[in-house]
Amino acid sequence: MMANSWKTITQICDDYNIKPQTFYNWADKCKSYPEYRDAIIQPTGQRTFIDEEKWQGFLRFMSEEHRKEQLDPHLRG
């Protein structure tokens, strides 16, 4: 792990028990939200780092969105 809480894609996949394709799908979605897009750091075309704190914020956001989708339409806010 890096000193600044950044991780590589492999580390994120291992730590969160997800497949690389799942990571890429979620990362694409993450980059589409201005408040979360800086969780994915790509200083070059060949290196990608993930700011884990911001990534976790995005995962919480996704979880909340999923929860809302599961609610009865009358209860959605």
Side-chain angles (χ1 to χ4, degrees):
M1 182 167 136
M2 297 182 177
N4 58 4
S5 82
W6 290 9
K7 291 189 173 183
T8 65
I9 294 169
T10 301
Q11 290 170 318
I12 289 291
C13 289
D14 290 346
D15 290 351
Y16 291 81
N17 195 28
I18 59 174
K19 294 181 179 182
Q21 187 58 48
T22 299
F23 169 79
Y24 290 114
N25 290 339
W26 290 356
D28 285 344
K29 189 172 182 179
C30 181
K31 288 187 248 181
S32 72
Y33 292 96
E35 62 270 35
Y36 299 110
R37 70 173 50 140
D38 60 348
I40 310 297
I41 301 126
Q42 294 178 297
T44 69
Q46 297 180 348
R47 295 298 268 165
T48 300
F49 301 101
I50 298 87
D51 182 324
E52 189 170 20
E53 288 181 34
K54 293 179 182 182
W55 179 252
Q56 288 175 350
F58 171 68
L59 294 179
R60 285 185 190 93
F61 168 78
M62 273 196 355
S63 177
E64 182 62 18
E65 291 297 302
H66 177 72
R67 186 191 66 76
K68 287 178 187 176
E69 289 174 4
Q70 302 305 310
L71 283 176
D72 182 299
H74 297 96
L75 299 176
R76 292 181 189 165

